[in-house]
């Protein structure tokens, strides 16, 4: 259970409490499954043989009736220790079978012991595992361990917050809170204890994040891009293919302000799929170039990097700017040219994949790194870009996975965040439909009609590591049935999946992009970033197997042109509750933030962000989904505290400083890299 020390034990909190002030009589038992406490005697014991092993059954009676107690495990030990016809307090869940009650594996205590032991009205129930239970570490044992600990330390805990905060928020002291979380005197004190501990937990996370930000802003020097020069102005005035949306303009202003200072920019740009992040990236890179710096633009996949490269080249084609693409499949000769021109500064913009992170890739003066679809990159990889320079380059991280506010605050509390919350004008909303597999013929008919109108269609299959073989089979079966339904030469079909060579993938992608094929059958490799405005239908096969953010990303592949677009979620008839919520959410809304909130609720934060590495979300008691109000308060107070005393050196903050140092003692250098 992760308990190694007294501190771990003290911070091992119950996950619920039961009211054990009340006793039931056997004739008061209700039909099902509630937890009850009864006083009675065991009148007889027998062992019943079953197909698999045996079970021990006791008859338990009080003055109103009788019931059975049942053990499937540990029968021998229990049989030897049980005393007949002596009063016991039993506690557990009751089952009923045709009006007769039984209780499997009750907690039992002799009444005379029960009366002696120290207990409060609300009994803590600690998290446990089956293995612990089997080894005899029952909840009773956990309670005893913690009681013993309390006696040992006399219930005295070091205060972690300042008197000012405790007073201002009317919090319990640390010792009171710790006592009441384990042995609540009543419901009200329990609530206060929980709130105090949640606040404390979130407060110290916020304190770390905000301090990090302050340190970054004051200590981590960066290059100042002082001017807006010819590259930017020329492009902005003569080559911009459309008017920027207001949201794009605002974000650009924020970025310009950041990079103008000799402090490293560390900005997260959130913008839903299709909101136009690429142009913001391009304009930002031009600012770097205007100031004599190089820029790098990194994408998670080769397809996407290539597409960015093409897009950037097209946008900048009238200008004398050198742009190159570097990916895993770049030829040696090209690599040599890139390495050389990058080092002598001739090459101004380098676009590519992870290949950019290799040590051989050395920039003359890298001023700006743009990372697209950030959730695919680990912290360590981002750190590598940081190490490529004397000073850290400015960093702009772009993501199309909207992050709920609460989560952004807890995980990215140290980053500056920009949001593009407006789509370019003229976009039609995408119609999202849910269809069962048995409606497939209707769906095929619909695809034919759309193709007749000149549109293109994606058909996407899930691909999950654990069931990779099956998934490829599904993909190939699906592909074959589509080929049958849409025969050559009238229809041309592309297929792209992870087992293909990059060059073949690229070839197939290009055929689709150029409009030579009408249908693209693919696994989720197309999830990120692919831009084919003429594609107007997205069919997601086995949609129930996709996560919400993936579905949202996939849907974002269509609706990029002027035509009405559709997203059709295909599923089997039987759906889990969770899958139903996901599919219904997709049908109901296209707001990325709303979708991400639902996603957060369904999946929990760690899973959503893949941030286990940061450890920040290993919360012991607070819940970032439910405790938003406390989180907000914690952030507010953390900011206030640091504004007043940014080194926590005032005497009044002594407790906070001590705790802060304990928490941060062993943190690695990653702390500075967002
Ligand atoms: P994403 O944010 O998903 O990366 P892109 O940058 O690929 O979005 O932009 C999506 C599409 O919208 C592109 O075809 C792009 O040319 C177009 N676009 C971007 N900004 C605007 C705008 N302000 N007006 C019109 N079209 C725009
Ligand atoms: Mg994009």
């Amino acid at each position: 259970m992760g308990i190694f020390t007294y501190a771990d034990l003290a911070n091992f909190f119950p996950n619920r409490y039961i009211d054990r002030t009340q006793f039931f009589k056997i004739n008061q038992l209700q039909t099902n499954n509630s937890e009850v406490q009864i006083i009675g005697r065991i009148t007889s014991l027998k062992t019943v043989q079953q197909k698999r092993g045996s079970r021990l059954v006791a008859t338990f009676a009080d003055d109103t009736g009788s019931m059975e107690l049942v053990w499937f495990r540990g029968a021998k030990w229990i049989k030897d220790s049980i005393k007949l016809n002596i009063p016991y307090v039993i506690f557990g869940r009751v089952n009923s079978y045709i009006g007769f009650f039984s209780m499997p594996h009750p907690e039992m205590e002799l009444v005379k012991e029960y009366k002696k032991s120290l207990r409060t009205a609300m009994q803590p129930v600690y998290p446990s595992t089956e293995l612990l239970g089997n080894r005899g570490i029952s909840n009773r044992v956990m309670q005893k361990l913690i009681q013993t600990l309390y006696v040992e330390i006399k219930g005295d805990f070091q205060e972690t917050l300042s008197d000012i905060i405790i007073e201002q928020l009317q919090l319990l002291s640390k010792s009171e809170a710790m006592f009441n979380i384990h042995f609540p005197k009543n419901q009200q004190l329990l609530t206060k204890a929980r709130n105090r501990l949640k606040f404390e937990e979130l407060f110290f996370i916020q304190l770390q994040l905000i301090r990090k930000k302050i340190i970054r802003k004051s200590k981590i020097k960066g290059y100042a891009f002082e001017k807006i020069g010819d590259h930017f102005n020329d492009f902005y005035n003569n080559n911009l293919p459309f008017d920027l949306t207001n949201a794009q303009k605002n974000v650009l202003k924020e970025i310009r302000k950041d990079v103008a200072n000799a402090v490293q920019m560390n900005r997260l740009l959130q913008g839903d799929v299709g909101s136009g992040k690429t142009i913001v990236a391009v304009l930002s890179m031009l600012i770097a170039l205007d100031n004599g710096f190089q820029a790098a633009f990194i994408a998670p996949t080769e397809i996407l990097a290539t597409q960015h490269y093409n897009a950037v080249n097209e946008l900048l084609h009238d200008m004398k700017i050198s742009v190159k693409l570097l990916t895993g499949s770049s030829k040696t000769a090209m690599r040599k040219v890139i390495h050389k021109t990058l080092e002598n500064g001739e090459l101004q913009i380098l676009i590519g994949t992870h290949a950019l992170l290799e040590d051989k890739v050395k920039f003359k003066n890298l001023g700006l790194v743009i990372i697209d679809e950030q959730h695919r990159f680990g912290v360590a990889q981002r750190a590598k870009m940081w190490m490529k320079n004397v000073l850290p380059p400015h960093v702009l991280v772009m993501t199309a996975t909207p992050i709920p506010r609460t989560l952004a605050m807890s995980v990215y509390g140290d980053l500056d965040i920009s949001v593009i919350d407006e789509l370019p004008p003229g976009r039609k909303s995408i119609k999202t439909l849910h269809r069962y597999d048995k409606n497939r013929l209707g769906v095929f008919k619909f695809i034919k009609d759309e193709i007749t109108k000149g549109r293109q269609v994606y058909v996407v299959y899930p691909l999950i590591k654990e069931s990779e073989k099956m998934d490829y089979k599904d993909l190939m079966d699906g592909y074959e049935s589509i080929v049958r339904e849409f025969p050559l030469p009238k229809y041309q079909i592309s297929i792209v999946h992870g087992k293909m060579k990059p060059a073949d993938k690229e070839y197939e992608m290009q055929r689709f992009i150029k409009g030579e094929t009408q249908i693209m059958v693919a696994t989720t490799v197309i999830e990120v970033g692919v831009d084919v405005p003429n594609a107007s239908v997205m069919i997601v096969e086995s949609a129930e197997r996709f996560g919400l953010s993936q579905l949202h990303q996939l849907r974002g592949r269509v609706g990029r042109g002027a035509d009405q677009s559709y997203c059709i979620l295909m599923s089997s008839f039987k759906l889990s509750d969770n899958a139903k919520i996901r599919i219904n959410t997709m049908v109901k809304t296209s707001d990325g933030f709303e979708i991400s909130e639902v996603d957060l609720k369904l999946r929990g934060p760690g899973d959503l962000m893949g941030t286990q590495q940061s450890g920040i979300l290993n919360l012991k008691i607070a819940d970032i989904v439910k405790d938003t109000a406390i989180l907000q308060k914690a952030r507010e107070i953390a900011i206030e505290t640091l504004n007043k005393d940014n080194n926590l050196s005032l005497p009044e903050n002594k407790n906070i400083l001590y705790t802060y140092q304990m928490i941060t003692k062993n943190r690695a250098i990653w702390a500075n890299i967002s």
Side-chain angles (χ1 to χ4, degrees):
M1 304 301 296
I3 303 174
F4 300 96
T5 65
Y6 276 3
D8 294 336
L9 185 61
N11 287 304
F12 187 65
F13 299 139
N15 49 12
R16 63 195 177 89
Y17 303 82
I18 30 190
D19 186 351
R20 288 191 66 172
T21 48
Q22 216 190 340
F23 288 91
F24 279 80
K25 293 286 186 190
I26 291 174
N27 72 354
Q28 292 173 322
L29 294 178
Q30 299 287 324
T31 30
N32 239 327
N33 222 8
S34 51
E35 281 180 315
V36 295
Q37 179 169 244
I38 311 168
I39 294 179
R41 296 159 199 262
I42 291 173
T43 55
S44 70
L45 259 182
K46 64 176 183 240
T47 304
V48 180
Q49 291 301 332
Q50 285 171 299
K51 261 197 219 122
R52 279 183 229 141
S54 59
R55 72 193 144 111
L56 181 67
V57 180
T59 306
F60 182 78
D62 67 5
D63 50 4
T64 70
S66 70
M67 63 186 289
E68 281 183 348
L69 311 180
V70 188
W71 292 267
F72 302 94
R73 301 177 303 265
K76 185 176 175 326
W77 185 79
I78 286 157
K79 202 171 168 181
D80 293 344
S81 62
I82 269 178
K83 299 188 169 64
L84 291 179
N85 297 313
I86 298 205
Y88 273 99
V89 178
I90 63 160
F91 176 81
R93 255 176 221 291
V94 285
N95 297 325
S96 71
Y97 180 67
I98 344 182
F100 196 73
F101 291 92
S102 68
M103 184 184 288
H105 291 261
E107 270 182 40
M108 309 186 47
E109 211 174 346
L110 288 169
V111 168
K112 67 172 198 279
E113 297 289 329
Y114 179 90
K115 286 191 173 141
K116 271 196 297 200
S117 68
L118 172 158
R119 68 183 69 225
T120 52
M122 315 213 14
Q123 292 286 297
V125 179
Y126 291 92
S128 186
T129 62
E130 199 178 325
L131 188 62
L132 275 186
N134 288 347
R135 299 283 165 88
I137 313 284
S138 66
N139 195 50
R140 263 314 281 148
V141 173
M142 280 311 300
Q143 287 178 19
K144 274 190 183 148
L145 280 173
I146 290 172
Q147 278 181 13
T148 308
L149 172 67
Y150 265 73
V151 173
E152 191 105 343
I153 65 169
K154 304 192 177 64
D156 191 16
F157 286 88
Q158 156 94 35
E159 182 52 69
T160 59
L161 298 173
S162 68
D163 294 347
I164 301 174
I165 294 176
I166 291 177
E167 201 150 305
Q168 188 186 343
L169 301 180
Q170 300 275 303
L171 298 174
L172 291 187
S173 72
K174 176 80 173 180
S175 295
E176 276 177 296
M178 290 300 277
F179 184 84
N180 279 287
I181 196 83
H182 290 293
F183 317 108
K185 289 189 186 128
N186 54 48
Q187 186 62 49
Q188 199 194 355
L189 276 167
L190 172 61
T191 307
K192 291 200 87 172
R194 299 189 72 124
N195 284 346
R196 142 88 211 209
L197 295 169
K198 285 176 178 183
F199 174 85
E200 174 181 340
E201 182 167 46
L202 295 170
F203 173 78
F204 281 100
I205 290 172
Q206 289 303 318
L207 206 65
Q208 288 175 69
L209 291 170
I210 293 157
R211 270 213 93 213
K212 238 157 73 178
K213 188 161 167 177
I214 292 172
I215 292 171
R216 181 161 55 75
K217 296 236 147 143
S218 62
K219 298 230 178 78
I220 302 187
K221 298 275 178 287
Y223 303 112
F225 296 172
E226 278 155 3
K227 61 173 190 232
I228 298 295
D230 292 346
H231 288 117
F232 185 96
N233 287 328
D234 184 21
F235 179 77
Y236 200 90
N237 297 326
N238 307 321
N239 295 11
L240 205 58
F242 36 67
D243 291 334
L244 296 185
T245 61
N246 284 330
Q248 285 169 324
K249 283 184 195 158
N250 286 338
V251 168
L252 212 58
K253 263 188 221 142
E254 290 171 331
I255 293 170
R256 275 171 64 171
K257 210 169 130 202
D258 277 1
V259 296
N261 289 318
V263 170
Q264 187 216 16
M265 171 174 78
N266 218 336
R267 187 167 281 281
L268 178 69
L269 172 55
Q270 292 192 51
D272 220 332
V273 272
S275 62
K277 295 184 292 295
T278 315
I279 194 78
V280 173
V282 169
L283 285 160
S284 308
M285 292 196 290
L286 293 179
I287 301 177
L289 268 48
D290 276 340
N291 288 274
F293 288 95
Q294 294 166 307
F297 191 174
I298 317 181
T301 66
E302 206 157 323
I303 290 178
L304 190 55
T306 308
Q307 203 161 69
H308 280 326
Y309 174 71
N310 294 334
V312 172
N313 256 332
E314 198 178 312
L315 286 166
L316 302 181
H317 74 278
D318 285 340
M319 302 173 66
K320 287 205 184 60
I321 293 177
S322 74
V323 183
K324 286 263 175 330
L325 175 69
L326 179 66
T327 67
S329 43
S330 298
K331 296 278 180 314
T332 316
M334 179 51 110
R335 275 172 199 269
K336 278 198 178 131
V337 174
I338 289 176
H339 290 166
K340 189 167 147 252
T341 52
L342 208 53
E343 271 191 88
N344 69 23
E346 270 169 47
L347 181 53
Q348 292 162 289
I349 295 180
L350 182 59
I351 298 175
T353 55
H354 296 71
L356 261 72
L357 304 172
E358 287 167 17
D359 294 332
K360 282 175 293 191
V361 181
K362 294 196 185 79
F363 292 79
K364 179 173 180 228
N365 56 355
L366 178 61
L368 173 68
V369 177
I370 295 177
I371 302 176
D372 196 11
E373 304 298 350
Q374 155 279 336
H375 61 287
R376 300 287 179 97
F377 286 94
V379 175
Q381 290 170 319
R382 277 176 269 152
K384 277 200 141 174
M385 286 312 282
W386 173 290
M387 305 304 175
K388 282 190 186 293
N389 263 27
V390 186
L391 287 182
H394 297 295
V395 178
L396 180 67
V397 172
M398 307 199 299
T399 176
T401 312
I403 298 160
R405 266 181 58 73
T406 44
L407 195 57
M409 234 194 272
S410 3
V411 189
Y412 292 126
D414 61 323
L415 274 187
D416 296 305
I417 300 182
S418 294
V419 180
I420 304 186
D421 52 5
E422 176 186 6
L423 292 181
R427 292 279 170 80
K428 285 215 178 69
S429 73
I430 301 164
K431 287 209 172 98
T432 303
L433 310 159
H434 175 205
R435 290 287 177 269
Y436 295 111
D437 293 334
K438 67 175 174 33
N439 308 121
R440 190 169 299 279
L441 286 180
V443 173
F444 281 154
K445 164 93 174 47
F446 176 76
I447 297 179
K448 278 186 187 147
D449 291 348
E450 285 295 302
I451 292 176
T452 308
K453 288 189 218 156
R455 316 266 189 276
Q456 289 165 283
V457 179
Y458 293 104
V459 183
V460 177
Y461 287 81
L463 180 61
I464 295 164
K465 269 255 148 52
E466 295 82 64
S467 54
E468 206 169 317
K469 261 204 185 127
M470 283 285 287
D471 284 352
Y472 275 113
K473 189 174 172 304
D474 287 353
L475 173 77
M476 292 330 274
D477 288 353
Y479 176 66
E480 273 162 28
S481 75
I482 287 168
V483 170
R484 271 198 305 277
E485 194 68 29
F486 298 88
L488 288 162
K490 185 167 177 205
Y491 298 100
Q492 300 284 332
I493 302 172
S494 287
I495 180 165
V496 173
H497 58 75
K499 284 194 173 161
M500 291 163 67
K501 292 209 183 73
D504 296 340
K505 267 196 249 180
E506 183 52 28
Y507 174 77
E508 289 288 329
M509 280 307 300
Q510 285 306 329
R511 291 213 306 151
F512 188 69
I513 291 168
K514 288 184 200 138
E516 293 167 12
T517 57
Q518 293 96 31
I519 302 178
M520 160 66 73
V521 178
T523 51
T524 36
V525 285
I526 64 152
E527 181 189 335
V528 214
V530 174
D531 192 11
V532 182
N534 190 48
S536 67
V537 183
M538 167 63 65
I539 312 276
V540 183
E541 292 286 348
S542 303
E544 70 269 33
R545 294 180 54 200
F546 288 86
L548 259 177
S549 71
Q550 256 183 325
L551 289 174
H552 182 60
Q553 291 284 324
L554 285 170
R555 179 167 60 185
R557 296 309 107 213
V558 296
R560 305 196 143 218
D563 309 307
Q564 176 63 55
S565 290
Y566 302 87
C567 173
I568 302 177
L569 306 173
M570 303 294 296
S571 83
S572 61
F573 200 67
K574 257 196 172 162
L575 292 175
S576 69
D577 289 346
N578 193 304
K580 266 183 215 153
I581 296 175
R582 273 178 277 144
I583 291 178
N584 291 342
T585 304
M586 288 298 295
V587 172
K588 201 180 83 199
T589 181
S590 55
D591 178 340
F593 281 92
E594 196 177 330
I595 290 171
S596 74
E597 294 282 354
V598 176
D599 203 19
L600 179 60
K601 286 193 179 122
L602 290 179
R603 288 205 288 162
D607 200 16
L608 187 61
M609 303 298 304
T611 39
Q612 285 88 340
Q613 55 184 355
S614 76
I616 240 167
L617 292 173
N618 264 333
L619 297 176
K620 280 205 169 62
I621 182 161
D623 176 329
I624 14 183
V625 181
K626 295 189 189 126
D627 297 324
T628 322
I630 302 179
L631 173 60
Q632 228 125 20
K633 199 57 173 174
R635 182 168 177 80
E636 207 176 283
I637 303 276
I639 292 171
E640 238 168 66
T641 308
L642 289 171
N643 276 348
K644 251 200 293 181
D645 179 15
N646 82 47
N647 287 319
L648 300 172
S649 52
L650 291 178
E652 67 191 46
N653 290 327
K654 162 173 93 28
N655 294 340
I656 298 177
L657 178 64
Y658 178 79
T659 312
Y660 181 87
Q661 284 169 339
M662 292 289 286
I663 294 172
T664 53
K665 206 163 52 183
N666 297 318
R667 287 285 155 83
I669 56 150
W670 303 132
N672 287 329
I673 299 150
S674 310

